[in-house]
Amino acid sequence: IRLIYTFCLGIMTMLILKVLNLDKTITTALAGVGLTGVALAFAFQDFAANIISGIFLSIRKPFFVDEAIRIKEHEGFVVEVRIRDTTIRTYQGQYITIPNKDVFQNPLINYSRLGKRRADVVGGVALDEDLRRVQKIALEALAKVPGVIAEDTSFFYEEYGDSSMNFKVRIWVNSGERVPYLNFISEVLITLNETFAENNIRVPYPIQT
């Protein structure tokens, strides 16, 4: 794909220069003033790169309008996909227009496409607790959290801490969107805290001697 992309980019750049009757001008500039011609050539190459990238994105369709995506440090919902650029709306309500070259050439995360998302929650219980009982009670309680995919939930112990047995919960929610995901993590934490309190499961404070 990268080879085809580079080839198409070269062809597109030449076509743009030809249509604008700048091919001879660029050739003369390259022969005469050198750096100016190179600068112009690079400028048109960048323009062509965005066009070619837009074409490849329309073929591959890595995202659709209204899906939640992340490109580099930008994250939000896709608002519009044009031939030269893509616009997303961040969770803070800002609109960001990103050149398609950057969209195509950088890692892209699509949070909506899978339709679910995993949360990893860590914690710890007292070393003298019945660990199998804790695991059973936690899984039963987490199966009732709104939006949970209960059959995909796992609870396992990772290590001895300084004053606790540390565990990790891997739990899936049936949405990839950011706000439902954050609400889901909050509900998981509340559920664990309430369940441990109701069943007298101790979560010790760090102790140093």
Side-chain angles (χ1 to χ4, degrees), residues 158-174:
E158 287 195 307
E159 61 180 359
Y160 280 98
D162 293 333
S163 54
S164 64
M165 178 64 75
N166 296 331
F167 64 81
K168 176 179 286 185
V169 176
R170 289 181 176 175
I171 186 167
W172 290 80
V173 60
N174 59 8

Side-chain angles (χ1 to χ4, degrees), residues 125-136 157 201:
V125 295
L127 293 171
D128 57 356
E129 288 286 349
D130 183 338
L131 298 184
R132 295 189 186 279
R133 171 177 173 269
V134 172
Q135 185 180 49
K136 180 175 182 296
Y157 297 100
I201 297 172

Side-chain angles (χ1 to χ4, degrees), residues 63-96:
F63 52 79
F64 296 106
V65 172
D66 292 331
E67 287 189 331
I69 65 171
R70 181 180 181 85
I71 303 168
K72 300 172 71 174
E73 71 274 15
H74 305 302
E75 183 174 338
F77 298 99
V78 179
V79 175
E80 187 177 7
V81 183
R82 292 178 292 270
I83 192 66
R84 291 188 60 239
D85 50 53
T86 296
T87 300
I88 67 173
R89 185 182 72 253
T90 68
Y91 302 123
Q92 292 77 30
Q94 302 150 328
Y95 284 76
I96 300 177

